[in-house]
Amino acid sequence: MSSPTKRIAINFGGGYVPGLNALITGTVMAASEIGWEVVGIRDGFDGLLFPDRYPDGGLLRLDRAMVEHLTGASGSVLGTAARSDPFHVRTVDQDGMLQEEDRSDALLESIRSHGIDALISVVGPAPLSILWKLSRKGLKTVAVPKSVENDMAATALSFGFDSALAFATETIGRVSEAAQSVHAIGIIEVPGERTGWLALQSGTAVCADAILIPEIHYDLHKVAAKLREKAKAGRAHALVVVAEGAAPLATQAAPTGLTVDPLRASLSPGSSGDAGAHVIERSGHVAERVALELQRLTNHETYPLVLGHLVRGGPPTAADRQLGLAYGAAAVRALHDSQSGVMVSFQPPDLKFIPLAETINKVRTVPANSVFVQVARALGISLGD
Amino acid sequence: MTKIDPIAPTGTVLNIQHFCTHDGPGIRTTVFLKGCSLRCKWCSNPESIHPKPELAYNPGKCIGKAQCGLCLKPPFPEGAMFVVDGTDDKIHVNWDLAAESDAETIGLCPTGALHMFGRMMTVDEVLDEVAQDGSFYRESGGGMTLSGGECLLIPDFSAALLAGAHQRGINTAIETAGNVPWRFFEKVLPHADVVLHDRKVSDPERHKKWCGVDNVRINANFEKAYATFPDTKFIARTPLIPGVNDDEEHIRAVLASIRPYPNVIDYELLPYHRYGESKYEFLGKVYELHDFQSPSPESLSRLRAIIDEAFGRGSPSAQNPA
């Protein structure tokens, strides 16, 4: 049965990934084929929550002529919001004080008042829960997965991962050449707080000496032994790729009980709490730690490098261009088929639709018997275990 | 002992910290209240921002799904907690779905990994705990300090606490950033012996950028307070954040504001430390200042020398940066 939907919106929530414009193109072209109109919401939901911030309006009318050449362009004409949460909107009250308030009802009313029948939301793992909450409040919506870490479990491939992988591989290759020329150990940290796909696949692609991922707790003594062995054989350089969430074996973990520093305690009332076994303090923390320890263990100079946000920029690869167009078109098809509260999922060779309730809280981790793990081991790459 | 109010007001108390030496004269007990009207990007007390008790999670205390798993079932909200396959069976928190969990439900966590930051307390409950340190106050010239959050946000509770402390012979101090209506100052400040107050950023636009609102009302409040309460001692403070406010212009602007008032007895610089980060993890919040560094000793020394000069003091720190 055909849906009565006539005007749909698209927005982006969560961190930036390369080539988001391809998703806009896919959505707009598929919608125009069935006579639907598409508008883009700027910066997540901010275009509707804070229209005053946008001199040209918080919504951007999107038509085929505007978007058909955007597929390979880097950037996003709509912008994205790392944290655009209508349930916790920061406002200034009449007494001039800051507070957070739930504006989800106002957002839904704004969507209705703009004649928007449904929303296609391109999101990472975190904003998926917000979308689910909006869906439960009646918003007709389809989610599209994006992640440079490929950590969304309900799909085999999140948009943006392939582009991030291509960039990381090229950059790590350059670092490898530099390490070779100066006879040093290059330590490269790549995004991957909970999963090691990016580290594992990019590290394998450049034949790194070691790859450390969150799924396999590492023992740097074993990594160092491997590097020393290679050095003895005359190879004076090495390359270690680390996911930002990689953690040492429990026996090597940082002390969990923080000592209570009186100054710290006086400044910070919760400071006497236990920090837990492993807290990712910031991007670059793991690279620094691994570099220092490996330098100590191998007596060889190490150079930490953090790719961080660099992998989130640049143009999309051919695979991501195709995936973006396919995801956008599939989301329109779902709405046309009267589906709502679902996420588009790539399950090769098919695109399927998974209920949002089944997509939240699921993390696509690297299984111990993954073919990528097997390949790395077969190549003699240390995984730190 | 005479009670100050037959119906003791209550407030959300985050923590009562004993034996503090940096929150006013002598050895002090600092009462941290919850709720803040600013959102400073370097905040080291994220657990003090929300005015009500709120959920926090310490993974170090979680014993995992296999041994426990209570929070994966009702009455915990659907999808609020989950386990990631593969790495270990520790609980993860979906903060978007868990935030509305009530204290009673959170209390079911047997190890305290899930817990609430903050609890409602009456004035007498707080004062009874504070009074336990009475001998230290007498020996050291210390007392009770109200901190936050922003203690002026709950003026009735704060005023009752301070007045009650005075009745028990305890010296009082408050720490405030001043972003409240003047009428809140009027209620609380008559009961404070010392007011430690933040002058974070001088330029209004920059203040709005880093703290969420501009500082026009804050500056007006403080200057009015200096004049209105001449017997109260004021100590200005700047949490020194490189790239935000570690410039001479800011320091000189604050000095120009405070020096006309003899009851502003000092101006302190507090070097920024990244103390609060792990607590952001506990609360599922994003720390916005990951890349900020502590100020260098040289910078600190140079700026302190300007303050010393303005207060007519020698400047030992300028001669000895270490």
Side-chain angles (χ1 to χ4, degrees):
Chain A
M1 190 180 78
S2 177
S3 158
T5 300
K6 297 292 183 195
R7 191 181 205 223
I8 62 174
I10 181 171
N11 75 343
F12 299 100
Y16 183 75
V17 307
L20 287 168
N21 285 323
L23 283 157
I24 299 175
T25 305
T27 299
V28 173
M29 291 183 70
S32 73
E33 281 297 303
I34 54 175
W36 288 3
E37 187 184 320
V38 183
V39 292
I41 307 171
R42 295 186 191 274
D43 299 334
F45 290 112
D46 287 1
L48 288 175
L49 290 170
F50 307 104
D52 296 346
R53 293 180 183 172
Y54 301 90
D56 300 326
L59 294 180
L60 178 65
R61 176 88 183 267
L62 299 164
D63 59 39
R64 193 178 185 112
M66 180 194 289
V67 304
E68 62 188 356
H69 300 299
L70 281 179
T71 318
S74 52
S76 159
V77 295
L78 288 179
T80 181
R83 189 75 185 166
S84 181
D85 178 0
F87 294 92
H88 298 91
V89 177
R90 190 173 293 178
T91 59
V92 179
D93 70 11
Q94 58 189 11
D95 276 327
M97 291 185 282
L98 281 171
Q99 58 184 9
E100 278 77 33
E101 64 180 39
D102 181 352
R103 286 207 182 163
S104 56
D105 289 333
L107 174 71
L108 295 177
E109 179 51 38
S110 178
I111 288 173
R112 274 191 291 273
S113 69
H114 283 94
I116 296 167
D117 300 303
L119 171 70
I120 292 172
S121 203
V122 184
V123 292
L128 207 53
S129 300
I130 294 169
L131 202 63
W132 184 50
K133 284 161 77 176
L134 289 171
S135 169
R136 289 194 298 183
K137 293 189 82 164
L139 178 66
K140 196 172 175 185
T141 184
V142 174
V144 171
K146 71 170 170 63
S147 166
V148 294
E149 300 173 13
N150 207 20
D151 54 354
M152 299 179 76
T155 185
L157 190 57
S158 292
F159 179 80
F161 174 70
D162 190 70
S163 305
L165 176 60
F167 174 81
T169 303
E170 185 195 336
T171 310
I172 294 169
R174 293 180 183 215
V175 173
S176 177
E177 289 168 17
Q180 189 171 357
S181 68
V182 296
H183 307 301
I185 302 174
I187 314 288
I188 301 97
E189 180 184 308
V190 301
E193 188 178 331
R194 294 187 294 186
T195 70
W197 293 107
L198 190 57
L200 183 58
Q201 292 186 234
S202 60
T204 303
V206 297
C207 295
D209 297 283
I211 301 170
L212 309 179
I213 61 176
E215 292 86 344
I216 301 173
H217 291 176
Y218 61 77
D219 179 347
L220 283 185
H221 291 92
K222 292 184 177 173
V223 177
K226 181 107 183 174
L227 299 186
R228 280 196 301 265
E229 195 180 296
K230 290 191 175 184
K232 262 189 194 169
R235 192 163 174 273
H237 70 279
L239 189 67
V240 179
V241 180
V242 192
E244 65 187 5
L249 281 171
T251 50
Q252 295 185 318
T256 56
L258 293 173
T259 53
V260 183
D261 175 335
L263 170 61
R264 178 177 177 162
S266 69
L267 291 172
S268 180
S271 64
S272 54
D274 181 349
H278 179 67
V279 173
I280 300 164
E281 291 182 353
R282 64 190 190 279
S283 178
H285 175 78
V286 176
E288 261 176 45
R289 177 186 170 137
V290 169
L292 280 173
E293 289 191 24
L294 278 183
Q295 186 161 293
R296 183 170 57 81
L297 292 170
T298 63
N299 200 26
H300 221 79
E301 281 178 84
T302 57
Y303 291 95
L305 179 76
V306 181
L307 295 193
H309 287 290
L310 291 175
V311 305
R312 299 179 182 278
T317 58
D320 261 340
R321 286 169 70 158
Q322 291 179 75
L323 191 64
L325 293 168
Y327 272 162
V332 171
R333 192 177 82 224
L335 291 173
H336 187 258
D337 293 344
S338 297
Q339 295 209 56
S340 178
V342 296
M343 186 181 89
V344 185
S345 164
F346 180 41
Q347 298 178 14
D350 300 316
L351 285 170
K352 296 185 175 176
F353 304 105
I354 313 293
L356 284 178
E358 294 175 21
T359 64
I360 58 170
N361 295 344
K362 306 277 197 317
V363 180
R364 184 173 178 270
T365 51
V366 179
N369 61 351
S370 157
V371 67
F372 292 102
V373 170
Q374 292 178 36
V375 168
R377 292 194 194 284
L379 295 174
I381 297 172
S382 168
L383 298 179
D385 57 347
Chain B
M1 181 169 288
T2 308
K3 301 297 179 186
I4 53 164
D5 188 341
I7 306 171
T10 59
T12 312
V13 177
L14 182 63
N15 193 21
I16 299 177
Q17 189 91 47
H18 300 267
F19 308 115
C20 298
T21 55
H22 294 83
D23 298 326
I27 295 174
R28 309 190 70 81
T29 298
T30 303
V31 179
F32 291 92
L33 304 179
K34 254 173 86 63
C36 189
S37 54
L38 296 176
R39 297 294 183 272
C40 305
K41 295 196 176 192
W42 56 81
C43 180
S44 62
N45 298 342
E47 73 277 30
S48 70
I49 292 173
H50 194 273
K52 300 291 182 193
E54 64 186 319
L55 171 66
Y57 174 57
N58 182 345
K61 290 185 177 177
C62 179
I63 54 175
K65 180 184 175 184
Q67 287 190 64
C68 177
L70 272 177
C71 59
L72 299 171
K73 307 166 197 162
F76 287 87
E78 181 187 2
M81 320 304 169
F82 63 100
V83 172
V84 175
D85 293 337
T87 317
D88 55 43
D89 73 340
K90 281 206 171 175
I91 299 299
H92 292 250
V93 179
N94 182 324
W95 296 96
D96 289 316
L97 304 178
E100 280 85 34
S101 305
D102 60 72
E104 195 180 341
T105 302
I106 296 307
L108 296 174
C109 175
T111 65
L114 292 167
H115 58 283
M116 300 297 283
F117 268 135
R119 64 186 170 121
M120 300 301 291
M121 293 181 77
T122 66
V123 169
D124 288 336
E125 283 174 330
V126 174
L127 289 177
D128 287 347
E129 183 165 344
V130 169
Q132 291 172 8
D133 298 332
S135 57
F136 293 100
Y137 309 147
R138 283 188 292 276
E139 291 292 324
S140 69
M144 177 185 79
T145 301
L146 292 191
S147 184
E150 172 56 68
C151 64
L152 295 186
L153 269 184
I154 38 178
D156 292 324
F157 183 67
S158 292
L161 278 176
L162 296 168
H166 273 164
Q167 285 187 347
R168 297 182 187 217
I170 299 172
N171 172 279
T172 62
I174 64 169
E175 287 186 310
T176 176
N179 183 38
V180 295
W182 171 249
R183 64 180 188 277
F184 292 8
F185 271 74
E186 285 179 308
K187 277 191 177 176
V188 178
L189 261 61
H191 308 291
D193 299 315
V194 179
V195 177
L196 303 153
H197 62 291
D198 279 2
R199 306 297 295 264
K200 298 174 192 287
V201 180
S202 297
D203 179 72
E205 277 306 306
R206 283 171 64 82
H207 195 281
K208 187 173 182 181
K209 155 84 181 166
W210 294 111
C211 304
V213 294
D214 70 39
N215 59 2
V216 174
R217 177 173 63 174
I218 293 170
N219 290 344
N221 276 343
F222 284 134
E223 292 191 12
K224 193 171 178 181
Y226 304 152
T228 308
F229 302 100
D231 296 330
T232 303
K233 289 178 180 161
F234 290 83
I235 298 173
R237 288 175 152 186
T238 290
L240 206 63
I241 323 288
V244 175
N245 58 8
D246 63 336
D247 52 281
E248 286 189 27
E249 290 75 14
H250 169 60
I251 305 301
R252 292 191 190 283
V254 174
L255 286 168
S257 167
I258 64 177
R259 286 309 285 143
Y261 302 95
N263 53 335
V264 185
I265 59 170
D266 205 351
Y267 177 25
E268 298 175 345
L269 300 181
L270 307 175
Y272 164 74
H273 292 290
R274 193 184 277 142
Y275 280 157
E277 256 179 83
S278 63
K279 290 184 291 179
Y280 280 83
E281 299 282 341
F282 290 175
L283 293 160
K285 291 178 179 170
V286 178
Y287 191 63
E288 297 181 63
L289 272 193
H290 281 267
D291 296 327
F292 274 68
Q293 303 299 319
S294 299
S296 68
E298 293 76 17
S299 166
L300 198 56
S301 176
R302 180 174 50 84
L303 298 174
R304 279 180 173 156
I306 295 170
I307 295 170
D308 288 338
E309 185 186 356
F311 275 86
R313 300 188 291 239
S315 182
S317 57
Q319 294 151 21
N320 180 18

